Amino acid sequence: MSDRQKTIEDDHFEDGKELYSVGSTSTEAPSRGIDAEVAEFFAQTSPVTETAVIDDATNVRLRWMIHKRVLVVMVMTYFAQTLDKGTINFASIMGIREDAHLVGQQYAWLTTCVYIAILIWEFPTNRLIQRLPIAKYLAIKYMTNVFYFSSQG
């Protein structure tokens, strides 16, 4: 075993626990799932001079921080989608079929169109969220919705 391979392997172990080193230039594929693949990608593409080792405690803490933020957004999104479905059902009870002169399967198509529009808008909005500051994007989005719906009178 060469000295280079021994150094790389030493970076991966600490106190008997296997740790993945982001700064390693190992040519072997990591064997621990997508996290290791992402770490290997960044190790190959970024010029890292020092190795960054994330231990299990830090990994759990970071994962919990991410889950707190992501889960809140997911729950709010699912709640909004449930409100959409409930609103459409309530509109059906209150007479949207007669008011909009919907016959046959047109009401079913109306609900389908709402969900298709949501699906189509998800891709551009995700791209905008990645590119723009999230607070400004959400503020503009919600203010636009407020002005649009308040003008519907």
Side-chain angles (χ1 to χ4, degrees):
M1 180 182 304
S2 71
D3 291 335
R4 177 168 168 69
Q5 288 175 336
K6 185 171 182 344
T7 304
I8 290 172
E9 286 183 4
D10 289 344
D11 287 345
H12 289 262
F13 291 89
E14 180 178 299
D15 297 333
K17 295 180 182 176
E18 185 176 346
L19 299 174
Y20 188 75
S21 172
V22 177
S24 76
T25 56
S26 172
T27 58
E28 297 177 13
S31 62
R32 294 195 333 164
I34 192 71
D35 292 336
E37 291 176 23
V38 170
E40 184 65 25
F41 170 78
F42 283 114
Q44 292 175 358
T45 58
S46 64
V48 177
T49 57
E50 295 180 21
T51 58
V53 178
I54 300 174
D55 62 348
D56 288 337
T58 304
N59 190 26
V60 168
R61 184 178 59 82
L62 291 172
R63 187 179 320 145
W64 177 245
M65 288 172 57
I66 292 169
H67 284 181
K68 283 193 305 187
R69 288 174 176 85
V70 172
L71 286 176
V72 168
V73 172
M74 286 176 59
V75 167
M76 289 173 44
T77 302
Y78 292 145
F79 179 71
Q81 289 175 346
T82 303
L83 284 178
D84 286 341
K85 187 170 182 138
T87 303
I88 291 172
N89 290 334
F90 184 71
S92 172
I93 294 169
M94 296 304 290
I96 193 172
R97 292 179 186 196
E98 294 80 24
D99 292 344
H101 307 291
L102 301 175
V103 293
Q105 292 295 317
Q106 288 179 339
Y107 177 75
W109 276 107
L110 175 68
T111 59
T112 301
C113 289
V114 168
Y115 290 115
I116 288 173
I118 291 171
L119 181 65
I120 289 172
W121 179 244
E122 283 184 19
F123 295 107
T125 197
N126 283 330
R127 187 69 173 162
L128 288 171
I129 287 172
Q130 292 171 1
R131 297 290 178 203
L132 301 174
I134 188 72
K136 290 180 182 177
Y137 171 74
L138 289 176
I140 291 169
K141 181 180 173 187
Y142 289 124
M143 291 307 294
T144 305
N145 284 341
V146 166
F147 290 130
Y148 174 77
F149 289 116
S150 64
S151 68
Q152 295 301 309

